[in-house]
């Protein structure tokens, strides 16, 4: 695996990361601000678009790759983390960002989420969490409140919501943060830190769905910065997250586990050398 | 019945049976290795149950003066360390009135399935003999018995025992060697009728390998440097063989959390520029289906090796069947052109895998290798499989321009693929229907153009002579694939006149179909017989649907797990003649 490309570094502005594809998102969708925050973060990092691989699954937010000028992969539902892990292992020189929604990441892709946290590849996973399936027009997701009414679950699901940040910590994520799309500058800053931090960085971005969850427009009023600095103690971070109001915004945990790299062998051989073991 | 001559037999079948843990597999492997070193060819399969330890176990060997890749119709010699669980695999060890059984009377009377045949039973007091050896080993005694009966030189066997068991330490090795010697001394003469004749080409190079190892070697020769996979019987050996060797080649193997992850990891790594593969069996293949379709739509080269086992569902994990043809060819939703190839022998697992890597990379689409448990887990002494010299050969867009379109509609259908990291080549590898630039589209024109382009990649490509191995030019055609090929070849040689009225078409390329090549191959054919190991006749129906077969075309098919034998197939062919 020695595919590597070089390119001259040049100063990039946020606009350099924006493609001319018109988003499918509804007017007022939180994801527009996530896109903006992502562009700002990439520009601040100074990583040219061709050195970034933006890998997504299926859902409204997973369309985001097309709206950037990076290399991208719009795969199937729920498997973006596996795609992204393959990219990073094959090409450690690339900056890999995986993005998607709460259904894609926590429901159909839930197993990959847990295992990406424990594997700890050096990539950043952004989940635009709006607690609803938007593309299929309003079904409950793993982060939806149990009482929320919908055609598919009349009377609510009655199921306790999934707690992605705690799962991430328990599974071994190396960086955990929560952002609000209504604050693109703050989100951009957190993304810069997440991408710079070695290992698996998980960023949950509260990103309102104005069409199926119009009440989420009120999030703007309830989000607040985390009152304390990020900790490097996962147990303390988990306690804080379990007891907060789910609107605590900021970097909540910074770990120091070394990122995953497949074992390298010091001895190098050629394929022809393998033939000897079969000779009788 | 072996063909006898003054100089010895041309082929002999031996079964070593004992309860799991008795070590008959180790004894079998040493016997096979020693036979190879002494200049013969051979095959060893194993019959094991689902138990991890204990349960039934049998090493089934056939040694020969010429290459051999299937078992005969019956075993000449059966050596039983004990009779525990024998009835569970008795059908896999057919015996005849000419067979000889060597067994320890202390282990009890042979089961009725053996005793009722009326064959010769030779008592060998194995336990008593072993009492005289500190740490004596019944499997090594059985090895000594077998080596003596087959005429494998003592020094060759000792050398292999030393090489394979030497690391266990002096005492263990000594007791093993003493056990082998005790076996040799106790072996009955049997008039030398099971002693092998010298091989004609005893100095020609021989390799000892399994089909799964061969598949791994072929993939590495083809340029695969990344593998992601989930453990599954009977494909795991492909992965375990590749893992340490990939590391030494500068590549990597990742054990993924499930097959959904493994297929997507290899799509991600291939998108990044590294030729990639996964190996699995039916249940894992089913899980991968959606994402194999992704690789078709996004035009990402990948290789998926499916070592078929008995199905449906969990089926029989440790035994062979050829019933995944339908899912391999038709299992993707939408119109999803991709390549399906199948090895025609154990050694050919290397050639076919190497070809699959080449085809996947060249055509930017998934290539499925349909191996099967028999080919994959059988160990054989064979002529070294050819390195075809074919590498990945992916069409790369090395200097992309702003005007480059990833999914450009080209004459061949293949579009230059930029490598992530190269400025100007940025595109979205897209699962949605897309236009030439990879942008999502629901337009009828884009949909048609991209579907046609992807189909054209396969229909305009010249797959060459490797699509099938064709032997003979008689008016009766046998068409088959995979592990059926070896017993068919042997059956043809058993028939009157050496099967001069026959021709054999062993298919290596299953999809896309090659109507012109098949028409050429069938020129002058009056009748055809399709042979396959599936209950529903999947190959027969597939060939019927796509090829212009003779009006008089028959099919002989049955499910696994019992492998076809030459005599069984000879009888089927004889009915056509």
């Amino acid at each position: 695996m020695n595919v590597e490309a070089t390119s001259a570094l040049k100063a990039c502005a946020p606009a350099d990361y924006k493609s001319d594809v018109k988003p499918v998102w509804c007017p007022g969708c939180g994801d527009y601000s996530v896109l903006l925050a992502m562009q700002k973060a990439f520009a601040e990092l100074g990583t040219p678009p061709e050195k970034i691989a933006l890998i997504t699954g299926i859902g409204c937010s997973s369309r985001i790759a097309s709206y950037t000028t990076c290399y991208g992969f719009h795969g199937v539902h729920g498997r973006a983390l596996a795609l992204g892990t393959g990219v990073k292992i094959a090409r450690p020189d690339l900056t890999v960002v995986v993005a998607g929604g709460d259904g894609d990441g926590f429901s159909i892709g839930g197993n990959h989420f847990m295992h990406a946290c424990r594997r700890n590849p050096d990539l950043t996973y952004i989940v635009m969490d709006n607690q609803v399936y938007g593309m299929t027009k309003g079904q409950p997701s793993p982060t939806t409140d149990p009482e929320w009414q919908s055609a598919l679950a009349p009377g609510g699901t009655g199921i306790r919501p999934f707690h992605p940040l705690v799962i991430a910590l328990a599974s071994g994520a190396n960086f955990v943060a929560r952002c609000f799309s209504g604050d693109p500058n703050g989100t951009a800053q957190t993304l810069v830190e997440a991408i710079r931090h070695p290992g698996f960085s998980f960023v949950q971005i509260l990103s309102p769905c104005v069409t199926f969850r119009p009440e989420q427009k009120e999030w703007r009023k309830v989000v607040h910065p985390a009152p304390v600095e990020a900790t490097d103690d996962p147990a303390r971070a988990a306690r804080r997250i379990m007891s907060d109001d789910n609107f605590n915004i900021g970097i909540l945990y910074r770990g120091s586990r070394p990122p995953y790299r497949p074992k390298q062998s010091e001895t190098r051989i050629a394929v022809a050398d393998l033939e000897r073991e079969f000779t009788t | 019945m072996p063909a006898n001559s003054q100089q010895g037999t041309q082929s002999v079948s031996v079964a070593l049976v004992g309860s799991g843990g008795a070590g008959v597999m180790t004894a079998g492997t040493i016997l096979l290795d020693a036979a190879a070193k002494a200049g013969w060819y051979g095959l060893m399969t194993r019959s094991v149950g689902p138990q991890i330890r204990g349960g039934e176990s049998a090493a089934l060997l056939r040694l020969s003066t010429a290459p051999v890749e299937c078992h005969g119709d019956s075993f000449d010699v059966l050596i039983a360390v004990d009779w525990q669980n024998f009835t569970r695999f008795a059908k896999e060890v057919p015996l005849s009135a000419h067979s000889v059984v060597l067994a320890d009377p202390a282990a009890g009377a042979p089961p009725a399935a053996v005793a009722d045949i009326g064959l010769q039973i030779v008592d060998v007091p194995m336990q008593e003999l072993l009492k005289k050896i500190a740490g004596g080993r019944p499997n090594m005694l059985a090895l000594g018995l077998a080596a003596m009966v087959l005429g494998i030189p003592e020094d060759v066997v000792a050398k292999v025992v030393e090489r394979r068991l030497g690391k266990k330490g002096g005492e263990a090795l000594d007791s093993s060697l003493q056990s082998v010697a005790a076996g040799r001394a106790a072996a009955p003469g049997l008039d030398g009728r099971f002693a092998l004749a010298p091989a004609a080409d005893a100095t020609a190079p021989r390799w000892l390998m399994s089909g799964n190892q061969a598949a791994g070697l072929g993939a590495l020769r083809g340029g695969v440097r990344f593998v992601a996979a989930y453990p599954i019987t009977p494909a795991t050996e492909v992965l375990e063989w590749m893992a340490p060797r990939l590391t030494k080649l500068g590549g990597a193997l990742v054990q993924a959390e499930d097959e959904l992850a493994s297929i997507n990891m290899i799509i991600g790594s291939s998108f990044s520029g590294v030729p990639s593969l996964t190996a699995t069996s039916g249940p894992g293949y089913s899980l991968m289906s959606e994402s194999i379709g992704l690789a078709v739509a996004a035009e990402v080269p990948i290789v998926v090796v499916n070592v078929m086992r008995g199905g449906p569902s969990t089926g029989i994990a440790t035994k062979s069947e050829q019933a995944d043809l339908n899912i391999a060819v038709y299992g993707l939703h939408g119109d999803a052109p991709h390549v399906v190839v199948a090895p025609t022998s154990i050694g050919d697992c290397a050639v076919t895998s190497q070809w699959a890597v080449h085809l996947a990379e060249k055509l930017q689409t998934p290539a499925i290798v349909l191996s099967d448990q028999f080919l994959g887990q059988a160990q054989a002494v064979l002529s070294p499989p050819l390195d075809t010299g074919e590498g990945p050969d992916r069409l790369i867009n090395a200097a992309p321009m702003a005007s480059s379109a990833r999914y450009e509609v080209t004459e061949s259908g293949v579009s230059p693929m930029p490598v992530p990291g190269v400025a100007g080549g940025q595109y979205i590898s897209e699962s949605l229907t897309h236009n030439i630039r990879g942008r999502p589209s629901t337009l009828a024109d884009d949909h048609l153009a991209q579907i046609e382009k992807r189909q054209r990649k396969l229909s305009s490509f010249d797959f060459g002579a490797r699509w099938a191995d064709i032997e003979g030019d008689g008016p009766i055609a046998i068409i088959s694939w995979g592990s059926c090929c070896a017993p068919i070849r042997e059956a043809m040689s058993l028939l009157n006149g050496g099967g001069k009225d026959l021709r054999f078409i062993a298919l290596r390329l299953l999809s896309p179909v090659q109507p012109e090549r098949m028409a050429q191959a069938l020129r002058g054919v009056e009748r055809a017989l399709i042979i396959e190991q599936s209950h529903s006749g999947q190959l027969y129906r597939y060939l019927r649907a796509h090829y212009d077969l003779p009006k008089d075309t028959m099919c002989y098919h049955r499910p696994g797990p019992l492998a076809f034998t030459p005599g069984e197939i000879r009888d089927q062919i004889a009915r056509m003649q």
Side-chain angles (χ1 to χ4, degrees):
Chain A
M1 293 193 297
N2 48 9
V3 182
E4 202 159 308
T6 54
S7 63
L9 282 180
K10 59 179 190 300
C12 292
D16 294 333
Y17 299 91
K18 190 170 184 304
S19 80
D20 56 2
V21 178
K22 188 178 177 297
V24 293
W25 299 328
C26 308
C29 175
D31 295 348
Y32 285 103
S33 304
V34 177
L35 175 60
L36 179 61
M38 211 181 255
Q39 292 168 228
K40 284 173 183 259
F42 292 160
E44 183 165 339
L45 288 161
T47 312
E50 69 270 16
K51 299 290 279 180
I52 300 170
L54 180 53
I55 313 297
T56 67
I58 293 297
C60 296
S61 55
S62 288
R63 291 292 189 107
I64 201 165
S66 282
Y67 311 145
T68 74
T69 55
C70 305
Y71 277 94
F73 207 129
H74 186 215
V76 295
H77 196 26
R79 316 292 164 222
L81 277 172
L83 277 174
T85 301
V87 174
K88 188 65 195 183
I89 292 171
R91 293 289 303 279
D93 59 307
L94 298 174
T95 295
V96 178
V97 176
V98 180
D102 38 301
D104 189 72
F106 308 143
S107 194
I108 191 168
N111 196 34
H112 308 307
F113 176 52
M114 189 167 75
H115 287 279
C117 291
R118 50 175 287 262
R119 192 173 279 120
N120 199 32
D122 187 16
L123 58 81
T124 298
Y125 182 38
I126 298 168
V127 172
M128 289 158 258
D129 191 347
N130 57 12
Q131 303 172 357
V132 73
Y133 286 85
M135 191 151 265
T136 47
K137 304 192 168 38
Q139 295 80 30
S141 88
T143 50
T144 304
D145 293 333
E147 299 82 21
W148 187 69
Q149 292 285 339
S150 63
L152 195 59
T157 63
I159 304 173
R160 176 197 146 101
F162 182 83
H163 208 318
L165 297 173
V166 180
I167 300 287
L169 277 169
S171 307
N174 213 28
F175 179 102
V176 173
R178 188 191 279 129
C179 299
F180 173 54
S181 66
D183 173 20
N185 288 332
T187 301
Q189 279 313 306
T190 300
L191 290 180
V192 166
E193 295 206 36
I195 293 168
R196 280 192 180 138
H197 194 83
F200 186 81
S201 300
F202 173 52
V203 183
Q204 178 194 30
I205 305 182
L206 303 176
S207 181
C209 175
V210 296
T211 301
F212 298 106
R213 303 297 306 265
E215 67 277 18
Q216 290 173 347
K217 290 179 191 164
E218 302 300 310
W219 279 355
R220 180 174 298 280
K221 296 174 187 162
V222 293
V223 296
H224 53 86
V228 286
E229 286 291 295
T231 170
D232 60 0
D233 174 2
R236 177 179 294 181
R239 268 199 305 280
R240 280 185 193 163
I241 295 167
M242 293 283 289
S243 55
D244 78 10
D245 59 359
N246 293 326
F247 291 103
N248 234 357
I249 300 303
I251 297 166
L252 305 167
Y253 172 72
R254 277 193 185 92
S256 52
R257 291 174 62 213
Y260 174 79
R261 285 290 295 273
K263 293 230 173 359
Q264 301 288 307
S265 172
E266 287 182 10
T267 48
R268 282 299 167 91
I269 58 166
V271 176
D273 298 330
L274 297 172
E275 299 179 353
R276 267 182 239 130
E277 69 183 271
F278 298 117
T279 56
T280 61
Chain B
M1 264 297 278
N4 291 322
S5 72
Q6 288 294 314
Q7 294 78 30
T9 179
Q10 302 299 313
S11 152
V12 61
S13 295
V14 186
L16 306 175
V17 306
S19 50
V24 294
M25 301 312 303
T26 304
T29 307
I30 291 171
L31 192 61
L32 187 65
D33 197 354
K37 284 190 170 50
W40 287 294
Y41 293 90
L43 169 80
M44 183 176 93
T45 63
R46 52 186 178 169
S47 176
V48 289
Q51 300 85 351
I52 307 307
R53 293 187 72 89
E56 66 267 34
S57 178
L60 310 177
L61 289 100
R62 191 165 180 219
L63 305 179
S64 175
T65 56
V68 61
E69 288 209 5
C70 63
H71 286 302
D73 289 276
S74 66
F75 281 80
D76 302 303
V77 182
L78 184 151
I79 301 175
V81 171
D82 62 61
W83 293 108
Q84 284 179 43
N85 305 311
F86 179 79
T87 47
R88 285 198 207 155
F89 55 82
K91 275 202 160 178
E92 294 174 53
V93 193
L95 299 166
S96 78
H98 304 288
S99 308
V100 174
V101 169
L102 310 185
D104 190 347
V114 172
D116 293 354
I117 296 169
L119 40 65
Q120 183 186 354
I121 296 174
V122 180
D123 287 342
V124 181
M126 300 188 202
Q127 292 180 22
E128 208 178 297
L129 290 167
L130 289 167
K131 275 183 199 152
K132 296 171 194 154
I133 303 166
R137 286 152 197 267
N139 63 332
M140 291 295 110
L141 191 134
L143 169 64
L145 283 170
M148 192 68 186
V149 169
L150 273 46
I152 300 174
E154 189 171 6
D155 58 325
V156 179
V157 176
K159 258 186 214 159
V160 178
V161 171
E162 277 167 29
R163 193 167 57 82
R164 290 200 173 244
L165 304 181
K167 59 175 178 278
K168 291 194 174 189
E171 278 178 32
L173 180 61
D174 281 350
S175 58
S176 292
L177 290 169
Q178 285 176 44
S179 305
V180 173
R184 292 192 79 92
L190 303 175
D191 311 322
R193 68 180 192 272
F194 299 116
L196 279 160
D201 58 349
T203 54
R206 306 269 199 283
W207 283 10
L208 172 56
M209 70 195 318
S210 70
N212 279 344
Q213 289 173 334
L217 177 67
L220 295 179
R221 282 173 165 175
V224 164
R225 291 298 178 269
F226 181 75
V227 173
Y230 189 74
I232 188 166
T233 305
T236 308
E237 297 92 357
V238 178
L239 311 167
E240 290 185 337
W241 186 83
M242 290 186 89
R245 290 157 184 86
L246 267 169
T247 307
K248 287 181 191 157
L249 291 166
L253 180 145
V254 173
Q255 182 179 335
E257 56 269 28
D258 54 32
E259 285 90 348
L260 306 165
S262 50
I263 186 78
N264 278 279
M265 283 183 187
I266 68 165
I267 293 170
S269 58
S270 179
F271 159 77
S272 311
V274 178
S276 301
L277 168 147
T278 188
T280 186
S281 189
Y285 188 86
S286 294
L287 284 175
M288 291 178 184
S289 296
E290 183 196 18
S291 296
I292 296 173
L294 166 64
V296 172
E299 301 197 43
V300 181
I302 52 165
V303 177
V304 180
V305 178
N306 175 353
V307 186
M308 293 182 286
R309 64 194 221 183
S313 192
T314 312
I316 311 181
T318 52
K319 297 180 200 273
S320 206
E321 197 162 72
Q322 293 180 308
D324 291 356
L325 175 64
N326 282 350
I327 192 177
V329 172
Y330 297 120
L332 309 179
H333 65 267
D335 283 319
H338 60 286
V339 175
V340 182
V341 292
T344 60
S345 70
I346 294 166
D348 192 60
C349 290
V351 173
T352 296
S353 296
Q354 185 172 9
W355 194 37
V357 180
H358 176 73
L359 292 175
E361 293 283 325
K362 188 94 186 165
L363 301 173
Q364 298 181 17
T365 199
I368 315 301
V369 179
L370 277 183
S371 179
D372 59 49
Q373 184 273 338
F374 188 96
L375 293 176
Q377 293 196 317
Q379 305 234 41
V381 180
L382 36 77
S383 302
L386 180 78
D387 182 342
T388 65
E390 287 165 328
D393 202 13
R394 188 185 295 193
L395 182 64
I396 297 289
N397 187 349
M401 324 263 281
S403 57
S404 306
R406 165 66 185 104
Y407 299 110
E408 190 185 348
V409 174
T410 61
E411 198 183 333
S412 69
V414 178
S415 325
M417 192 171 175
V419 181
V422 176
Q426 293 102 299
Y427 70 99
I428 306 300
S429 195
E430 182 58 78
S431 66
L432 287 163
T433 288
H434 45 262
N435 65 16
I436 58 167
R437 306 190 68 79
R439 291 178 176 176
S441 170
T442 54
L443 299 180
D445 288 350
D446 286 334
H447 191 55
L448 178 65
Q450 292 294 313
I451 283 182
E452 284 189 339
K453 157 201 195 310
R454 291 192 293 260
Q455 180 60 56
R456 199 159 59 244
K457 291 193 293 187
L458 273 66
S459 39
S460 72
F461 184 76
D462 181 359
F463 287 86
R466 206 177 284 147
W467 78 285
D469 292 338
I470 301 167
E471 296 151 34
D473 55 5
I476 300 172
I478 318 290
I479 309 174
S480 190
W481 67 305
S483 57
C484 294
C485 294
I488 291 170
R489 288 193 181 102
E490 188 166 331
M492 288 169 66
S493 72
L494 294 175
L495 286 157
N496 292 338
K500 281 200 173 52
D501 55 345
L502 302 175
R503 81 178 68 175
F504 179 35
I505 303 171
L507 296 168
R508 188 177 286 104
L509 179 64
L510 295 161
S511 185
V513 288
Q514 305 290 302
E516 286 172 21
R517 289 199 167 88
M518 183 64 96
Q520 175 72 30
L522 290 174
R523 194 159 294 166
V525 167
E526 290 154 16
R527 283 175 296 159
L529 174 64
I530 294 163
I531 298 175
E532 60 175 307
Q533 199 180 30
S534 86
H535 183 259
S536 58
Q538 294 185 11
L539 181 68
Y540 171 74
R541 287 165 207 287
Y542 178 65
L543 298 181
R544 263 287 186 223
H546 293 281
Y547 289 121
D548 193 8
L549 300 174
K551 191 161 163 264
D552 188 1
T553 295
M554 311 288 287
C555 179
Y556 179 62
H557 60 105
R558 59 166 175 77
L562 299 178
F564 289 117
T565 62
E568 177 185 10
I569 288 176
R570 178 199 53 209
D571 294 347
Q572 294 298 324
I573 298 173
R575 289 165 56 183
M576 301 280 294
Q577 288 175 311

